[in-house]
Amino acid sequence: KFDDLTHHLVEATTGPVKQAMQDAGLSQSDLSKVLLVGGSSRIPAVQAAVKRMTGKDPFKGINPDECVAMGACIQGGVLSGTVKSLLLIDVTPLSLGIETVGDVFARIIDRNTALPVQRSQVFTTAANFQTTVEVNVLQGEREIASYNKSLGKFKLTGIRRALRGIPQIEVTFSIDANGIVHVSAKDLGTNHAQEITISGSGNMSQSEIDQAIRDAERFAAEDKQKKNKQAQKNSAESLLAQAKRAQRKLKSPDKEKLNDAIHALEDAIKRDDSTAMKAASESMEALLAAAGQYVNDSDAENDDGTYDATPRS
């Protein structure tokens, strides 16, 4: 009867175990010993489940309660500075990044990255003469920004007025050993900067973290399709902006041909027709190449290797 009552709890532990092995890049054959700690490890059903998942009998040469207590003592000693011979490395449980144009999640720090850590990435504007961007800081594993958790937002103002794709905005994520997240955005042209500190980034429960990972796996194909479609649209819009700039440098008949290609791509973007966008983009790239104009063939990047950030007025 006890096994029947606790069966769903035992089965719920299989997901995190499989995920941990996957994240570590390990298979059953790579495991040399399996240690069980904590009072629940005495339950025969738990031991059977572990053997089923790992292919090995759990090692029982340690006291599962004393092991937990000893671990807590050692961690307390490391944090207080009393214990200096050991180094405990924490990791960020979920990926961190920002929302970019088209509701796309741009990862800056991947899940399971060791702390402390600092990572930067350069983005750009998505509209002509844009002087303000809103940075939406997100935590999660979905490719679509709105499906992840927003940790905070802040605005960067004073961006140099320029055509889309020209300004360079460096976004930096920094997580200290205590898990406190610092996010900054800096316009590299004007040196205007803004930042936010997020101390509650780890307030998701373990069940919420596990659910976020499961959702990312479940909807991976759907999210990828949406992301790829938006990337194609972003690429088409970037190519269109480049073509309009190049148009001023050309003479007839190249200028007239490019003008027709511009109208065709504009129409495809307006109709949100992926097939038409791809065909029109390929035609325009061929025209620009024939006219001696450089074309960046990346689906995600702009002319200078930066990425479109979500614009906010």
Side-chain angles (χ1 to χ4, degrees):
K1 182 64 176 179
F2 177 78
D3 285 347
D4 288 341
L5 292 173
T6 59
H7 176 74
H8 67 290
L9 298 175
V10 175
E11 290 302 310
T13 65
T14 61
V17 172
K18 291 179 180 177
Q19 187 65 54
M21 292 178 64
Q22 180 180 328
D23 291 343
L26 299 175
S27 62
Q28 287 188 1
S29 60
D30 298 318
L31 302 178
S32 58
K33 183 180 291 186
V34 177
L35 305 179
L36 290 185
V37 299
S40 298
S41 64
R42 292 190 175 91
I43 300 174
V46 171
Q47 297 172 6
V50 170
K51 183 176 181 179
R52 187 173 65 252
M53 285 184 286
T54 64
K56 289 181 173 57
D57 286 312
F59 177 71
K60 301 177 181 179
I62 56 175
N63 184 303
D65 300 311
E66 290 181 0
C67 182
V68 173
M70 182 64 72
C73 290
I74 292 174
Q75 184 173 12
V78 170
L79 294 176
S80 66
T82 305
V83 177
K84 301 183 184 298
S85 58
L86 293 177
L87 176 63
L88 297 179
I89 300 177
D90 199 1
V91 299
T92 177
L94 293 172
S95 298
L96 294 169
I98 67 170
E99 176 187 356
T100 58
V101 67
D103 197 24
V104 174
F105 177 48
R107 283 179 177 79
I108 295 180
I109 296 180
D110 290 327
R111 179 167 62 94
N112 286 333
T113 299
L115 305 183
V117 62
Q118 179 172 308
R119 299 276 170 80
S120 297
Q121 192 167 309
V122 177
F123 297 82
T124 189
T125 52
N128 291 333
F129 310 117
Q130 184 178 341
T131 59
T132 301
V133 294
E134 182 176 80
V135 180
N136 184 13
V137 181
L138 301 168
Q139 179 184 45
E141 298 305 316
R142 300 288 297 273
E143 299 290 347
I144 307 303
S146 56
Y147 293 143
N148 293 319
K149 180 181 179 181
S150 177
L151 301 180
K153 299 179 180 179
F154 65 95
K155 286 188 176 182
L156 173 64
T157 61
I159 299 172
R160 179 171 61 91
R161 287 174 58 84
L163 296 175
R164 58 168 287 169
I166 301 299
Q168 291 190 315
I169 301 166
E170 184 180 55
V171 178
T172 300
F173 274 65
S174 176
I175 311 177
D176 62 23
N178 296 316
I180 297 176
V181 181
H182 305 272
V183 184
S184 65
K186 179 180 180 181
D187 178 9
L188 299 181
T190 64
N191 284 329
H192 285 181
Q194 188 58 266
E195 63 181 26
I196 187 174
T197 298
I198 303 166
S199 58
S201 61
N203 59 1
M204 292 179 70
S205 66
Q206 186 59 50
S207 62
E208 289 176 318
I209 293 172
D210 293 340
Q211 184 63 50
I213 296 172
R214 286 194 296 269
D215 286 346
E217 294 175 346
R218 179 183 175 188
F219 298 104
E222 179 183 333
D223 288 354
K224 185 177 180 179
Q225 184 179 14
K226 291 180 180 178
K227 182 179 180 180
N228 289 343
K229 183 177 181 180
Q230 184 60 46
Q232 185 181 49
K233 185 176 182 180
N234 292 349
S235 179
E237 290 177 343
S238 180
L239 180 61
L240 183 62
Q242 182 182 350
K244 289 181 177 180
R245 292 196 294 269
Q247 190 180 30
R248 297 191 293 267
K249 306 175 185 178
L250 301 180
K251 298 179 181 179
S252 298
D254 289 340
K255 189 171 186 178
E256 295 173 359
K257 291 179 181 179
L258 185 58
N259 188 56
D260 292 338
I262 288 174
H263 289 317
L265 186 53
E266 284 178 331
D267 179 66
I269 293 172
K270 185 178 180 180
R271 291 185 288 111
D272 198 23
D273 187 331
S274 297
T275 303
M277 270 190 278
K278 182 179 180 181
S281 295
E282 290 175 351
S283 176
M284 182 174 288
E285 287 176 351
L287 286 173
L288 289 172
Q293 298 295 316
Y294 170 74
V295 177
N296 187 345
D297 59 2
S298 170
D299 287 337
E301 297 180 1
N302 292 300
D303 301 345
D304 56 358
T306 57
Y307 293 77
D308 288 344
T310 302
R312 293 288 187 270
S313 58

